[in-house]
Amino acid sequence: MKAICFYFSIHQPFRLKRYRFFDIGNDHYYYDDFANDDIITRIAHSSYIPAAESLLRMIEESKGAFRCALSISGTALEQCEQYVPEFVDLLKKLADTGKVEFLAETYAHSLSSLTDPEEFKAQVKAHDEKLYQLFGVKTQVIRNTEMIYCDELAPQMVAMGYKGAVTEGAKHILGWKSPNYVYSAASAPKLKLLLKNDKFSDDIAFRFSNTEWDAYPLTADKYIDWIANTPPEEQIVNLFMNLEIFGELQRKETGIFHFLEALPRFAKERGIDFITPTEAVQKLKPVGELSIMHPISWADEARDTSAWLGNKLQNEAFDKLYSVAERVRLCDDRRLKQDWNYLQNSDHFFYMSTKHLNDGAVHSHFSPYETPFQAFTNYMNVLADFIVRVEEQYPLSIENEELNSLLTTIRNQAREIETLNKEVTSMRKNLEHYNEEHALRAQAAEGAKTEEKKVEAPAKKAPEKKAPAKKAPAKKASTAKKTVAKK
């Protein structure tokens, strides 16, 4: 039986305010709060909230037959908590149905997987903790930032405990193969791969309201028929897209929500199930291994990482940012760590892309800057101030090797202190236990002495009680004498 795996992503970055060169060293707050509030609130009410309500209705009306997955970045969750908490409440309701799976990803929606395995692991862990804190769920399938994946990442994902990963069904990787199967990673066969079906996903995401499209208008029954008519041996159709497609990129007036809510009814008529990513990797056997030598993503025709790291501006900013990664991880400054997360966001590098200057790609549509050069200048000004703050804690004049040596010594001393503290704590507990036992013994001894006194006291008083009995014969003798005298 064929199955549809729906996965919706939700992400919003913390956008930077206009930060001038003269602000460096004087202003340590980098964010455009007005823009962040305005954008997340607008999109939540036009897209996220009505889409979540549609998903709830689809689950209820299908009696749980409809299932899907959500992937939400940590920065998006933070903004939702701050500006639209009612959407977080809806997400909790979706989680409570047990029919919506939450996927793992990097907390900051960062590109750390491409350069810093330790940072990648730490961010995914932080994201998992955030999901568990808010929704009480644990993740089993990972969706890396921008769906980036390659063979090098698979062993690390398995080591982190993930059973599956979702990524792009790139044509230059698949060749003649179909994305409508489960594959296993060539470098770590325990990791199962779910590949996005570009054609069916883009029919909804980009072509739904295009009146020039030869298949316009797209209806739910027509769409399900297309899926049903795929080769019968194909196991699964993965439909991966942003949630804001519903109501934001495809406006409500296009009928996109009616289309979405009608899908479960027509799928049932055609014998098509809905399945979550974890159910897919558990129930469906992989048909073969898939090797992906170089990182792939969802973006552009190339489906590579050039949307974020394709020019000198992007690479200079990227290298400069991660040059202080180790120092930031070692510090205890909460504000510095928060800024570190927000500055890693992949959107900052996306805004620097020069691709739209040549091919009219979608890069400029999402950018708050007039040009990629303006995006680069603004980001580098912010980054310069950030690095000054990092240097105040760990001077950059100290080489990484020397710093590592010093920090290793500090860590060893900290462990030794911790061990000694544990020993002191243990000795204190033993002393307290000894004192408690000593007090109990003293109390028991005092009680025994008291009992002995109680037993001895009645024995001394016994002779006093018998004294009146000895006087009785004397009285009888006196009476007898009186009787003789009378006679």
Side-chain angles (χ1 to χ4, degrees):
M1 183 176 288
K2 202 177 297 293
I4 294 173
C5 181
F6 254 124
Y7 138 70
F8 306 101
S9 66
I10 301 171
H11 167 62
Q12 292 296 331
F14 279 92
R15 294 162 185 82
L16 303 176
K17 66 183 181 182
R18 293 296 187 267
Y19 195 89
R20 302 171 302 164
F21 173 80
F22 300 103
D23 293 326
I24 299 172
N26 299 313
D27 183 3
H28 301 322
Y29 191 78
Y30 311 135
Y31 312 105
D32 188 339
D33 291 336
F34 176 80
N36 290 324
D37 183 355
D38 177 66
I39 292 171
I40 190 69
T41 302
R42 174 177 56 79
I43 294 177
H45 286 93
S46 67
S47 172
Y48 296 161
I49 291 175
E53 290 172 342
S54 289
L55 295 178
L56 277 171
R57 282 193 294 271
M58 293 163 72
I59 292 169
E60 292 169 0
E61 292 174 4
S62 67
K63 297 181 180 179
F66 176 77
R67 294 172 171 82
C68 66
L70 293 173
S71 182
I72 313 172
S73 69
T75 54
L77 282 170
E78 284 188 26
Q79 290 188 57
C80 289
E81 286 182 291
Q82 184 174 356
Y83 300 119
V84 278
E86 60 271 32
F87 177 57
V88 179
D89 293 337
L90 276 174
L91 292 175
K92 290 178 181 177
K93 290 181 179 179
L94 286 170
D96 291 341
T97 65
K99 307 300 178 183
V100 176
E101 178 180 356
F102 288 78
L103 302 185
E105 67 164 84
T106 56
Y107 187 95
H109 203 73
S110 75
L111 304 173
S112 56
S113 63
L114 298 175
T115 187
D116 193 332
E118 186 176 348
E119 180 65 23
F120 174 64
K121 181 179 179 180
Q123 283 202 25
V124 173
K125 182 181 178 181
H127 183 260
D128 278 356
E129 290 172 351
K130 184 72 172 179
L131 291 180
Y132 187 76
Q133 172 198 341
L134 287 177
F135 311 120
V137 298
K138 293 185 178 181
T139 60
Q140 298 187 62
V141 173
I142 186 169
R143 177 263 193 191
N144 191 17
T145 305
E146 314 297 359
M147 297 179 74
I148 291 173
Y149 174 82
C150 65
D151 288 344
E152 188 177 346
L153 291 175
Q156 186 177 3
M157 290 175 173
V158 171
M160 292 161 65
Y162 295 105
K163 299 177 180 177
V166 298
T167 189
E168 183 69 25
K171 293 179 181 177
H172 69 280
I173 296 297
L174 286 171
W176 57 268
K177 298 176 182 177
S178 169
N180 301 336
Y181 292 98
V182 174
Y183 292 89
S184 59
S187 56
K190 288 184 178 179
L191 187 75
K192 306 302 185 295
L193 301 178
L194 299 177
L195 308 180
K196 172 186 171 184
N197 185 304
D198 280 339
K199 194 271 179 190
F200 287 135
S201 297
D202 291 350
D203 284 343
I204 298 175
F206 301 112
R207 292 185 280 270
F208 182 81
S209 60
N210 183 3
T211 56
E212 296 181 1
W213 182 31
D214 57 5
Y216 180 86
L218 181 61
T219 58
D221 57 338
K222 182 194 297 185
Y223 188 75
I224 292 296
D225 281 346
W226 289 348
I227 293 176
N229 290 332
T230 56
E233 65 274 11
E234 294 186 350
Q235 305 165 308
I236 185 172
V237 176
N238 298 306
L239 304 177
F240 301 160
M241 59 197 74
N242 292 330
L243 189 64
E244 63 192 71
I245 284 169
F246 301 91
E248 181 66 18
L249 299 181
Q250 302 290 345
R251 307 299 295 179
K252 178 181 179 182
E253 294 75 21
T254 64
I256 190 69
F257 289 109
H258 295 299
F259 167 83
L260 178 65
E261 293 186 35
L263 291 175
R265 178 165 62 88
F266 290 105
K268 183 179 179 181
E269 291 178 1
R270 296 303 303 267
I272 298 174
D273 290 336
F274 290 91
I275 193 170
T276 65
T278 294
E279 290 173 338
V281 300
Q282 288 177 343
K283 295 179 179 180
L284 303 178
K285 294 182 178 180
V287 295
E289 292 185 353
L290 196 63
S291 179
I292 302 175
M293 299 293 292
H294 304 287
I296 60 171
S297 75
W298 66 268
D300 303 333
E301 287 296 323
R303 298 295 195 265
D304 58 12
T305 59
S306 60
W308 303 274
L309 299 174
N311 63 41
K312 292 182 179 180
L313 303 178
Q314 294 167 315
N315 281 283
E316 182 179 346
F318 184 77
D319 293 341
K320 192 74 172 176
L321 173 67
Y322 282 97
S323 68
V324 296
E326 192 166 358
R327 285 168 164 78
V328 176
R329 281 196 294 272
L330 294 168
C331 80
D332 295 321
D333 188 325
R334 185 173 175 272
R335 176 70 180 278
L336 198 68
K337 284 182 175 291
Q338 185 182 60
D339 291 337
W340 166 247
N341 271 339
Y342 296 168
L343 291 176
Q344 287 186 74
N345 204 284
S346 66
D347 297 62
H348 301 310
F349 304 97
F350 194 74
Y351 301 150
M352 300 176 200
S353 175
T354 52
K355 283 190 169 187
H356 73 280
L357 299 178
N358 301 318
D359 59 15
V362 298
H363 300 257
S364 59
H365 174 75
F366 295 99
S367 177
Y369 301 97
E370 294 179 3
T371 68
F373 308 104
Q374 187 184 84
F376 171 76
T377 302
N378 199 69
Y379 182 82
M380 293 304 286
N381 286 341
V382 170
L383 187 57
D385 183 80
F386 176 76
I387 291 175
V388 168
R389 291 163 59 203
V390 174
E391 190 171 3
E392 288 175 356
Q393 300 219 11
Y394 297 106
L396 298 183
S397 58
I398 302 176
E399 294 293 333
N400 280 337
E401 291 184 6
E402 184 181 355
L403 180 62
N404 286 334
S405 177
L406 291 171
L407 291 171
T408 299
T409 302
I410 292 171
R411 287 195 194 102
N412 291 338
Q413 290 177 346
R415 290 193 192 101
E416 187 176 348
I417 292 170
E418 185 180 356
T419 302
L420 291 173
N421 284 335
K422 287 180 180 179
E423 289 179 2
V424 170
T425 302
S426 178
M427 291 175 67
R428 282 177 180 168
K429 287 182 179 179
N430 290 337
L431 183 60
E432 289 173 2
H433 184 63
Y434 172 79
N435 288 337
E436 288 176 2
E437 286 187 350
H438 183 70
L440 289 173
R441 288 175 183 172
Q443 187 178 354
E446 187 66 28
K449 288 180 180 180
T450 304
E451 289 296 326
E452 286 179 6
K453 288 180 181 179
K454 289 180 180 178
V455 171
E456 291 175 0
K460 293 178 181 178
K461 293 178 181 178
E464 295 178 2
K465 291 180 181 179
K466 294 179 181 180
K470 292 179 181 178
K471 294 178 182 179
K475 288 181 181 179
K476 287 181 182 179
S478 177
T479 304
K481 287 178 182 179
K482 288 179 182 179
T483 304
V484 172
K486 286 180 181 179
K487 287 181 180 180

